[in-house]
Amino acid sequence: MKRPTFFISSRSHSADLLASELVLTICDQFPKTEIVGVVGNWTSKTRVMALAELDNMQDAVKALGFDEGLNPLKESLTENLPLFAVLVGYSAIHHDLAGYFKDNEIPVILYEVTPQQGLQGIDMSEVPGRIKTALSIHKSGSTFLRASKIPFQYIGTPFRDRISKVLVKISDFDFLNDKPLISLFPGGYGEVLDKMLPRFGEFAEGILKTHDCQIVVSLREERDFDSLVAKMKSTLPLTSKVKFVLGMHLELLSLSRLAITGVGAITMEAAIAGVPTIAVYDKTDVADEAGYHCLVNQSLGQPLFLEFPNSQAMPGLLQSITQLIQDSPERADMLQKLSKIQSEFQGSATDNAADIIIHEAGLRVKKTRNAPVPPA
């Protein structure tokens, strides 16, 4: 029998972290499994054999188009076709790859963690024929899954277990002091991040002018960290006290009085951490069918966190920020909502996802697991 080989690819840097956890769990159960795929910073540290690099592939598609940009990857796959493919998050690139796998009769499993704006440029009518099944972090399935009528199984929320392991205090970090911490997570990459950085610089300075606090900006572990810091600093006064760090977003979240974020996975993590949050989206982003932009609001189907376009007038936005920093009725209301929705975020998602993927691939399952249960 051919040694089981599967392909894995992620739509973003945050999805790449989920992919790495999934790879480690599958390899733990099936050490002889071979994994090939598109690697990011996290999956490159696992046993995944790189056929392409995440940032380079996205840059190639942007510069050359889908056919030429993805052709080297497809040629590598054709030389040794995998038994199945796992796509972590959906995107126009993943839609094209799913079409390639369909043409080669390779089943595709979608690990579905996709904000609605990630679906731009996709012919939705083609999706059902390209995806065999999906693993959903939404109990009722995401808007995307429901609209596409893709079969799905709820696996729990992959961020729950990771966040529960974060046990830190202010004194663990030499760049923090005892003042209330406001953490900024611009998120995204490329053009999206370029649009957000100046706006987040305005948030930082506006907050520091009216509040005795400390502000830390967390940027993802990307190749261009130094240039991004320089770009944001160029929008700030020379005397600005804003600090910048690489990564550490979960640690900062756990210590934060307030988080200001993009609209992706960070909003799920902030909700699970119980941190009042304001999500900022690009004014061109597409909302889901209920009008929500950030991933946690889309997942819950309710407006847990405030959402603002990056074109929002600064005075109104700073007023909302102030309300959530202070001991106000608005902050108390959000904290109460955060407490009530914790049971929506069930654990063991990575283990459940691995078990389902192993079953779908027709491999032997060594052990069975109970369905995810709400945390105590």
Side-chain angles (χ1 to χ4, degrees):
M1 178 180 176
K2 180 181 177 181
R3 176 173 288 192
T5 301
F6 76 87
F7 171 89
I8 192 163
S9 175
S10 304
R11 69 166 294 275
S12 66
H13 294 278
S14 58
D16 182 64
L17 178 54
L18 299 180
S20 69
E21 294 170 341
L22 180 62
V23 166
L24 293 173
T25 302
I26 291 176
C27 288
D28 179 60
Q29 292 194 40
F30 290 87
K32 294 184 179 181
T33 299
E34 293 182 351
I35 307 102
V36 300
V38 179
V39 301
N41 186 60
W42 295 99
T43 45
S44 64
K45 300 172 184 177
T46 68
R47 280 177 40 194
V48 178
M49 184 179 79
L51 301 182
E53 196 276 330
L54 179 60
D55 286 326
N56 291 341
M57 181 184 70
Q58 292 176 339
D59 290 344
V61 169
K62 183 178 178 180
L64 305 173
F66 286 96
D67 289 342
E68 191 172 348
L70 292 179
N71 190 55
L73 172 61
K74 292 177 181 177
E75 287 182 348
S76 297
L77 285 167
T78 302
E79 292 176 2
N80 186 19
L81 290 172
L83 296 179
F84 64 101
V86 177
L87 304 179
V88 185
Y90 212 57
S91 64
I93 289 177
H94 277 179
H95 184 63
D96 187 282
L97 289 175
Y100 166 83
F101 289 125
K102 176 186 177 183
D103 292 341
N104 286 277
E105 300 182 342
I106 296 169
V108 174
I109 301 170
L110 174 63
Y111 194 148
E112 217 291 283
V113 281
T114 309
Q116 192 71 13
Q117 71 269 17
L119 303 173
Q120 296 182 47
I122 296 173
D123 184 344
M124 301 299 287
S125 67
E126 297 175 343
V127 174
R130 300 187 180 191
I131 306 297
K132 179 181 179 183
T133 190
L135 313 176
S136 179
I137 66 172
H138 311 254
K139 287 184 177 179
S140 59
S142 66
T143 300
F144 168 52
L145 295 183
R146 296 194 305 272
S148 302
K149 296 182 171 57
I150 299 172
F152 69 88
Q153 301 180 63
Y154 173 61
I155 57 170
T157 308
F159 313 106
R160 162 66 70 182
D161 299 322
R162 192 188 309 155
I163 289 170
S164 67
K165 298 175 184 176
V166 177
L167 300 172
V168 295
K169 53 185 181 295
I170 288 283
S171 59
D172 292 333
F173 304 96
D174 57 10
F175 57 86
L176 296 179
N177 55 47
D178 292 330
K179 294 181 179 180
L181 172 63
I182 315 300
S183 295
L184 275 57
F185 306 96
Y189 46 89
E191 293 180 359
V192 174
L193 187 54
D194 287 341
K195 290 180 183 178
M196 289 297 181
L197 286 177
R199 196 58 164 163
F200 274 69
E202 292 181 57
F203 299 154
E205 282 308 302
I207 294 168
L208 287 174
K209 285 179 181 178
T210 54
H211 297 279
D212 186 22
C213 62
Q214 56 184 324
I215 292 184
V216 176
V217 180
S218 168
L219 296 170
R220 290 174 176 170
E221 298 184 42
E222 296 183 337
R223 302 172 292 182
D224 49 359
F225 173 79
D226 291 336
S227 64
L228 291 173
V229 171
K231 186 176 296 185
M232 188 165 175
K233 280 187 174 181
S234 69
T235 69
L236 301 171
L238 293 177
T239 56
S240 174
K241 297 180 180 179
V242 175
K243 299 179 177 65
F244 296 84
V245 298
L246 180 63
M248 294 193 291
H249 71 288
L250 293 182
E251 290 82 358
L252 290 171
L253 264 180
S254 72
L255 301 171
S256 294
R257 175 81 176 176
L258 174 70
I260 304 175
T261 74
V263 296
I266 186 67
T267 62
M268 296 287 292
E269 293 165 332
I272 295 169
V275 179
T277 297
I278 290 176
V280 181
Y281 61 90
D282 186 76
K283 62 182 180 180
T284 62
D285 286 350
V286 179
D288 70 3
E289 61 187 6
Y292 302 132
H293 285 84
C294 76
L295 187 58
V296 72
N297 289 356
Q298 292 175 357
S299 178
L300 295 171
Q302 60 177 283
L304 175 65
F305 289 151
L306 299 176
E307 300 178 342
F308 292 99
N310 57 357
S311 58
Q312 175 78 24
M314 187 59 66
L317 213 158
L318 286 175
Q319 181 181 5
S320 294
I321 290 172
T322 294
Q323 290 172 342
L324 292 179
I325 293 175
Q326 297 176 343
D327 290 323
S328 65
E330 290 81 7
R331 179 177 176 84
D333 180 62
M334 185 173 288
L335 288 172
Q336 185 178 37
K337 289 180 179 178
L338 285 166
S339 178
K340 287 182 177 178
I341 54 86
Q342 290 304 310
S343 63
E344 295 290 327
F345 305 117
Q346 301 174 2
S348 302
T350 301
D351 290 328
N352 293 321
D355 285 346
I356 293 170
I357 288 170
I358 288 168
H359 174 75
E360 291 288 347
L363 302 177
R364 177 174 58 87
V365 179
K366 289 188 174 181
K367 51 188 175 181
T368 60
R369 298 181 187 277
N370 296 324
V373 296

